[in-house]
mmCIF file with all atom_site columns, all heavy atoms in Angstrom:
data_model
loop_
_atom_site.group_PDB
_atom_site.id
_atom_site.type_symbol
_atom_site.label_atom_id
_atom_site.label_alt_id
_atom_site.label_comp_id
_atom_site.label_asym_id
_atom_site.label_entity_id
_atom_site.label_seq_id
_atom_site.pdbx_PDB_ins_code
_atom_site.Cartn_x
_atom_site.Cartn_y
_atom_site.Cartn_z
_atom_site.occupancy
_atom_site.B_iso_or_equiv
_atom_site.pdbx_formal_charge
_atom_site.auth_seq_id
_atom_site.auth_comp_id
_atom_site.auth_asym_id
_atom_site.auth_atom_id
_atom_site.pdbx_PDB_model_num
ATOM 1  N N   . ALA A 1 81 ? 13.928 31.679 3.349  1.00 98.00 ? 85 ALA A N   1
ATOM 2  C CA  . ALA A 1 81 ? 12.517 31.871 2.936  1.00 98.00 ? 85 ALA A CA  1
ATOM 3  C C   . ALA A 1 81 ? 12.267 33.247 2.400  1.00 98.00 ? 85 ALA A C   1
ATOM 4  O O   . ALA A 1 81 ? 12.799 34.293 2.862  1.00 98.00 ? 85 ALA A O   1
ATOM 5  C CB  . ALA A 1 81 ? 11.582 31.626 4.111  1.00 98.00 ? 85 ALA A CB  1
ATOM 6  N N   . HIS A 1 82 ? 11.392 33.328 1.404  1.00 97.00 ? 86 HIS A N   1
ATOM 7  C CA  . HIS A 1 82 ? 11.006 34.622 0.797  1.00 97.00 ? 86 HIS A CA  1
ATOM 8  C C   . HIS A 1 82 ? 9.504  34.708 0.966  1.00 97.00 ? 86 HIS A C   1
ATOM 9  O O   . HIS A 1 82 ? 8.779  33.742 1.070  1.00 97.00 ? 86 HIS A O   1
ATOM 10 C CB  . HIS A 1 82 ? 11.276 34.581 -0.725 1.00 97.00 ? 86 HIS A CB  1
ATOM 11 C CG  . HIS A 1 82 ? 11.193 35.903 -1.374 1.00 97.00 ? 86 HIS A CG  1
ATOM 12 N ND1 . HIS A 1 82 ? 9.999  36.365 -1.928 1.00 97.00 ? 86 HIS A ND1 1
ATOM 13 C CD2 . HIS A 1 82 ? 12.078 36.881 -1.587 1.00 97.00 ? 86 HIS A CD2 1
ATOM 14 C CE1 . HIS A 1 82 ? 10.179 37.559 -2.388 1.00 97.00 ? 86 HIS A CE1 1
ATOM 15 N NE2 . HIS A 1 82 ? 11.414 37.935 -2.198 1.00 97.00 ? 86 HIS A NE2 1
ATOM 16 N N   . MET A 1 83 ? 9.009  35.955 1.022  1.00 96.00 ? 87 MET A N   1
ATOM 17 C CA  . MET A 1 83 ? 7.593  36.165 1.262  1.00 96.00 ? 87 MET A CA  1
ATOM 18 C C   . MET A 1 83 ? 6.742  35.456 0.229  1.00 96.00 ? 87 MET A C   1
ATOM 19 O O   . MET A 1 83 ? 5.683  34.931 0.512  1.00 96.00 ? 87 MET A O   1
ATOM 20 C CB  . MET A 1 83 ? 7.273  37.665 1.217  1.00 96.00 ? 87 MET A CB  1
ATOM 21 C CG  . MET A 1 83 ? 7.847  38.459 2.349  1.00 96.00 ? 87 MET A CG  1
ATOM 22 S SD  . MET A 1 83 ? 7.292  37.951 3.987  1.00 96.00 ? 87 MET A SD  1
ATOM 23 C CE  . MET A 1 83 ? 5.515  38.479 3.874  1.00 96.00 ? 87 MET A CE  1
ATOM 24 N N   . SER A 1 84 ? 7.262  35.347 -1.003 1.00 95.00 ? 88 SER A N   1
ATOM 25 C CA  . SER A 1 84 ? 6.511  34.690 -2.092 1.00 95.00 ? 88 SER A CA  1
ATOM 26 C C   . SER A 1 84 ? 6.393  33.193 -1.916 1.00 95.00 ? 88 SER A C   1
ATOM 27 O O   . SER A 1 84 ? 5.688  32.531 -2.649 1.00 95.00 ? 88 SER A O   1
ATOM 28 C CB  . SER A 1 84 ? 7.123  35.010 -3.419 1.00 95.00 ? 88 SER A CB  1
ATOM 29 O OG  . SER A 1 84 ? 8.478  34.543 -3.462 1.00 95.00 ? 88 SER A OG  1
ATOM 30 N N   . ASP A 1 85 ? 7.160  32.634 -0.943 1.00 97.00 ? 89 ASP A N   1
ATOM 31 C CA  . ASP A 1 85 ? 7.074  31.177 -0.707 1.00 97.00 ? 89 ASP A CA  1
ATOM 32 C C   . ASP A 1 85 ? 5.835  30.804 0.141  1.00 97.00 ? 89 ASP A C   1
ATOM 33 O O   . ASP A 1 85 ? 5.519  29.617 0.241  1.00 97.00 ? 89 ASP A O   1
ATOM 34 C CB  . ASP A 1 85 ? 8.334  30.717 0.084  1.00 97.00 ? 89 ASP A CB  1
ATOM 35 C CG  . ASP A 1 85 ? 9.574  30.860 -0.733 1.00 97.00 ? 89 ASP A CG  1
ATOM 36 O OD1 . ASP A 1 85 ? 9.516  30.723 -1.992 1.00 97.00 ? 89 ASP A OD1 1
ATOM 37 O OD2 . ASP A 1 85 ? 10.633 31.067 -0.148 1.00 97.00 ? 89 ASP A OD2 1
ATOM 38 N N   . ALA A 1 86 ? 5.139  31.780 0.659  1.00 97.00 ? 90 ALA A N   1
ATOM 39 C CA  . ALA A 1 86 ? 3.924  31.484 1.408  1.00 97.00 ? 90 ALA A CA  1
ATOM 40 C C   . ALA A 1 86 ? 2.890  30.806 0.533  1.00 97.00 ? 90 ALA A C   1
ATOM 41 O O   . ALA A 1 86 ? 2.408  31.405 -0.448 1.00 97.00 ? 90 ALA A O   1
ATOM 42 C CB  . ALA A 1 86 ? 3.352  32.757 2.014  1.00 97.00 ? 90 ALA A CB  1
ATOM 43 N N   . ALA A 1 87 ? 2.543  29.583 0.901  1.00 96.00 ? 91 ALA A N   1
ATOM 44 C CA  . ALA A 1 87 ? 1.621  28.808 0.021  1.00 96.00 ? 91 ALA A CA  1
ATOM 45 C C   . ALA A 1 87 ? 1.431  27.457 0.758  1.00 96.00 ? 91 ALA A C   1
ATOM 46 O O   . ALA A 1 87 ? 1.860  27.275 1.860  1.00 96.00 ? 91 ALA A O   1
ATOM 47 C CB  . ALA A 1 87 ? 2.291  28.510 -1.348 1.00 96.00 ? 91 ALA A CB  1
ATOM 48 N N   . GLU A 1 88 ? 0.679  26.580 0.111  1.00 96.00 ? 92 GLU A N   1
ATOM 49 C CA  . GLU A 1 88 ? 0.460  25.226 0.610  1.00 96.00 ? 92 GLU A CA  1
ATOM 50 C C   . GLU A 1 88 ? 1.362  24.266 -0.224 1.00 96.00 ? 92 GLU A C   1
ATOM 51 O O   . GLU A 1 88 ? 1.380  24.387 -1.425 1.00 96.00 ? 92 GLU A O   1
ATOM 52 C CB  . GLU A 1 88 ? -0.965 24.812 0.587  1.00 96.00 ? 92 GLU A CB  1
ATOM 53 C CG  . GLU A 1 88 ? -1.253 23.505 1.374  1.00 96.00 ? 92 GLU A CG  1
ATOM 54 C CD  . GLU A 1 88 ? -2.705 23.306 1.735  1.00 96.00 ? 92 GLU A CD  1
ATOM 55 O OE1 . GLU A 1 88 ? -3.597 23.984 1.131  1.00 96.00 ? 92 GLU A OE1 1
ATOM 56 O OE2 . GLU A 1 88 ? -2.974 22.501 2.632  1.00 96.00 ? 92 GLU A OE2 1
ATOM 57 N N   . TYR A 1 89 ? 1.951  23.303 0.465  1.00 97.00 ? 93 TYR A N   1
ATOM 58 C CA  . TYR A 1 89 ? 2.882  22.414 -0.174 1.00 97.00 ? 93 TYR A CA  1
ATOM 59 C C   . TYR A 1 89 ? 2.390  20.960 0.030  1.00 97.00 ? 93 TYR A C   1
ATOM 60 O O   . TYR A 1 89 ? 2.025  20.552 1.132  1.00 97.00 ? 93 TYR A O   1
ATOM 61 C CB  . TYR A 1 89 ? 4.295  22.527 0.402  1.00 97.00 ? 93 TYR A CB  1
ATOM 62 C CG  . TYR A 1 89 ? 4.915  23.901 0.068  1.00 97.00 ? 93 TYR A CG  1
ATOM 63 C CD1 . TYR A 1 89 ? 4.556  25.065 0.748  1.00 97.00 ? 93 TYR A CD1 1
ATOM 64 C CD2 . TYR A 1 89 ? 5.802  24.015 -0.964 1.00 97.00 ? 93 TYR A CD2 1
ATOM 65 C CE1 . TYR A 1 89 ? 5.113  26.280 0.398  1.00 97.00 ? 93 TYR A CE1 1
ATOM 66 C CE2 . TYR A 1 89 ? 6.369  25.286 -1.327 1.00 97.00 ? 93 TYR A CE2 1
ATOM 67 C CZ  . TYR A 1 89 ? 5.985  26.377 -0.636 1.00 97.00 ? 93 TYR A CZ  1
ATOM 68 O OH  . TYR A 1 89 ? 6.512  27.597 -0.986 1.00 97.00 ? 93 TYR A OH  1
ATOM 69 N N   . PHE A 1 90 ? 2.454  20.214 -1.077 1.00 96.00 ? 94 PHE A N   1
ATOM 70 C CA  . PHE A 1 90 ? 2.007  18.823 -1.038 1.00 96.00 ? 94 PHE A CA  1
ATOM 71 C C   . PHE A 1 90 ? 3.119  17.886 -1.419 1.00 96.00 ? 94 PHE A C   1
ATOM 72 O O   . PHE A 1 90 ? 3.749  18.035 -2.421 1.00 96.00 ? 94 PHE A O   1
ATOM 73 C CB  . PHE A 1 90 ? 0.799  18.599 -2.025 1.00 96.00 ? 94 PHE A CB  1
ATOM 74 C CG  . PHE A 1 90 ? -0.450 19.332 -1.594 1.00 96.00 ? 94 PHE A CG  1
ATOM 75 C CD1 . PHE A 1 90 ? -0.732 20.567 -2.022 1.00 96.00 ? 94 PHE A CD1 1
ATOM 76 C CD2 . PHE A 1 90 ? -1.369 18.695 -0.721 1.00 96.00 ? 94 PHE A CD2 1
ATOM 77 C CE1 . PHE A 1 90 ? -1.884 21.261 -1.665 1.00 96.00 ? 94 PHE A CE1 1
ATOM 78 C CE2 . PHE A 1 90 ? -2.513 19.356 -0.339 1.00 96.00 ? 94 PHE A CE2 1
ATOM 79 C CZ  . PHE A 1 90 ? -2.762 20.631 -0.799 1.00 96.00 ? 94 PHE A CZ  1
ATOM 80 N N   . CYS A 1 91 ? 3.257  16.846 -0.621 1.00 96.00 ? 95 CYS A N   1
ATOM 81 C CA  . CYS A 1 91 ? 4.214  15.763 -0.915 1.00 96.00 ? 95 CYS A CA  1
ATOM 82 C C   . CYS A 1 91 ? 3.387  14.664 -1.548 1.00 96.00 ? 95 CYS A C   1
ATOM 83 O O   . CYS A 1 91 ? 2.250  14.382 -1.103 1.00 96.00 ? 95 CYS A O   1
ATOM 84 C CB  . CYS A 1 91 ? 4.851  15.274 0.393  1.00 96.00 ? 95 CYS A CB  1
ATOM 85 S SG  . CYS A 1 91 ? 6.063  13.990 0.218  1.00 96.00 ? 95 CYS A SG  1
ATOM 86 N N   . VAL A 1 92 ? 3.923  14.064 -2.568 1.00 92.00 ? 96 VAL A N   1
ATOM 87 C CA  . VAL A 1 92 ? 3.183  13.111 -3.375 1.00 92.00 ? 96 VAL A CA  1
ATOM 88 C C   . VAL A 1 92 ? 4.045  11.872 -3.671 1.00 92.00 ? 96 VAL A C   1
ATOM 89 O O   . VAL A 1 92 ? 5.200  12.042 -4.065 1.00 92.00 ? 96 VAL A O   1
ATOM 90 C CB  . VAL A 1 92 ? 2.677  13.688 -4.714 1.00 92.00 ? 96 VAL A CB  1
ATOM 91 C CG1 . VAL A 1 92 ? 1.887  12.736 -5.507 1.00 92.00 ? 96 VAL A CG1 1
ATOM 92 C CG2 . VAL A 1 92 ? 1.922  14.975 -4.458 1.00 92.00 ? 96 VAL A CG2 1
#
Side-chain angles (χ1 to χ4, degrees):
Chain A
H86 191 273
M87 294 298 292
S88 61
D89 294 329
E92 189 162 18
Y93 293 79
F94 291 93
C95 182
V96 182

